[in-house]
Amino acid sequence: MRNLLFTAIILLLITSCDDGTPDTTTDFDRTDLLINLSDNIILPALNGFKTSATLVTNQVTTFNTTPDQTNLTALRNAFEEAYLKWQAAAIYEIGPADNIAYHANINTFPADADHINSLIQAGSYNLDAINNYDAKGLAALDYLLYGLGASDNDIIAFFSTDPDKEKYKQFLSDVANDILAKTNFVYDAWIGGYDVTFKSNKGNNIGSSVSILTNAFMQHFENKFRTLKIGLPAGVFSIEEQSFPEEAEAYYSGISTALIKANFDQLEKTYLGATGVGIDDHLIGVDAASINTEIKDQLNEIRSKLNLLTDPLSEQVVNDRPTVITVYNEIQKLVPTLKADMFSALSIQITYSDTDGD
């Protein structure tokens, strides 16, 4: 009997040890959650941006062939649609997207106009170099199509009559094609096997799909959505309470607020799972329905406050900074609930770092 008791104690100790990355067993089956996220939310977002990015490259070719007002307008329309579609794809910096720093390649903003102009004049550049991230992607297209000259005619002239017009055309084409190439890589990797990997990794330990996706969702919410899109332009972290309009996303085209709202739509869609199983259902499944209710209520408050933002945001942060700060503060209210309560309830560890102190 003593030997049996000793053996039982040893087995209990062994099975209770872990590596610091718990995989809590609950009654919630994550199968439907991962299938819904992959098939109905992530892949459609990536495919939507891929389709829009393809149209941009085609319109760039048309514009470079005949740089006139009609083709500039068509290119701008394609660009704005792509920028809106990007707001959905941008959230999922996981797997193949994480491997190539997808977000940094596609949407490092604000664009550095001087850097862009220097690359164009040089006529030789490596867009994959990290130090060129602020001179490429959607922010670079925003500058080239809206900020290169004081008027549409001035912008068109760079591609039609300027002595270096071929350099401008080449750079415009290279930037558009780089966006499409990076997007094709990510999308093809998803449909080429990563979707199966994602859906089959059903744990909640570090490295599991739920952990990776939830961390990506949270990091995007507090860093790229809250801080970069709203906080920095509004000067939230400025001791002098000074706004920084040039920090706004899509500064030259002036569609920042439209992008913010589109990004929030996708964040909310990811949390709620659209019409399928979402993170909210996972919380309910682990007996944390009250946390889910608190999150959903605050998401509704944020949506209401986002309607106070106007385009161009670069002007609103100067002329009506307190309103933008109010919107920021409403978003901030949800951060502790997500990072502390949601992650704890789901037994998921935060695997990224931030330095703003929440």
Side-chain angles (χ1 to χ4, degrees), residues 337-354:
T337 306
L338 292 173
K339 289 186 73 174
D341 300 338
M342 181 181 76
F343 273 75
S344 177
L346 298 179
S347 298
I348 295 174
Q349 288 188 236
I350 294 176
T351 57
Y352 70 95
S353 61
D354 64 90

Side-chain angles (χ1 to χ4, degrees), residues 147-328:
L148 195 56
S151 68
D152 287 1
N153 287 335
D154 290 339
I155 292 172
I156 293 170
F158 280 102
F159 299 91
S160 58
T161 60
D162 191 273
D164 290 324
K165 63 182 180 181
E166 295 305 322
K167 290 183 178 180
Y168 283 95
K169 291 179 180 180
Q170 188 62 54
F171 189 78
L172 179 64
S173 179
D174 287 344
V175 169
N177 279 291
D178 181 71
I179 292 171
L180 181 58
K182 298 288 190 298
T183 302
N184 283 336
F185 173 85
V186 173
Y187 181 76
D188 290 347
W190 265 89
I191 64 173
Y194 184 73
D195 60 330
V196 175
T197 300
F198 180 84
K199 288 183 283 189
S200 63
N201 193 356
K202 301 175 185 178
N204 69 336
N205 56 298
I206 292 176
S208 67
S209 294
V210 168
S211 174
I212 293 171
L213 189 279
T214 307
N215 271 279
F217 170 89
M218 188 66 239
Q219 184 174 29
H220 188 95
F221 183 88
E222 72 167 335
N223 183 284
K224 298 177 178 70
F225 175 67
R226 178 200 65 174
T227 300
L228 296 183
K229 294 179 185 292
I230 301 174
L232 289 183
V236 168
F237 310 103
S238 170
I239 298 176
E240 297 83 6
E241 298 187 355
Q242 175 185 355
S243 60
F244 299 90
E246 69 282 354
E247 294 288 329
E249 186 177 21
Y251 173 73
Y252 297 98
S253 58
I255 60 171
S256 307
T257 295
L259 300 183
I260 289 168
K261 291 180 179 180
N263 194 227
F264 179 76
D265 286 346
Q266 191 69 16
L267 284 164
E268 187 176 57
K269 185 177 183 179
T270 303
Y271 178 77
L272 297 175
T275 58
V277 180
I279 300 172
D280 59 333
D281 297 296
H282 196 347
L283 282 171
I284 295 171
V286 295
D287 296 325
S290 61
I291 296 174
N292 173 53
T293 298
E294 183 178 351
I295 292 172
K296 290 174 67 174
D297 287 346
Q298 190 56 32
L299 286 172
N300 288 333
E301 289 298 322
I302 292 171
R303 179 171 293 283
S304 176
K305 288 296 189 295
L306 287 178
N307 290 326
L308 299 176
L309 298 179
T310 59
D311 269 330
L313 185 67
S314 57
E315 292 185 6
Q316 188 178 18
V317 296
V318 175
N319 300 327
D320 189 15
R321 182 174 177 269
T323 295
V324 184
I325 296 294
T326 296
V327 176
Y328 174 89

Side-chain angles (χ1 to χ4, degrees), residues 100-101 105 125-133 136 178 181-182:
I100 64 166
N105 273 284
Y125 37 78
N126 176 14
L127 291 181
D128 286 329
I130 293 176
N131 61 345
N132 285 334
Y133 282 176
K136 62 181 290 190
D178 181 71
K182 298 288 190 298

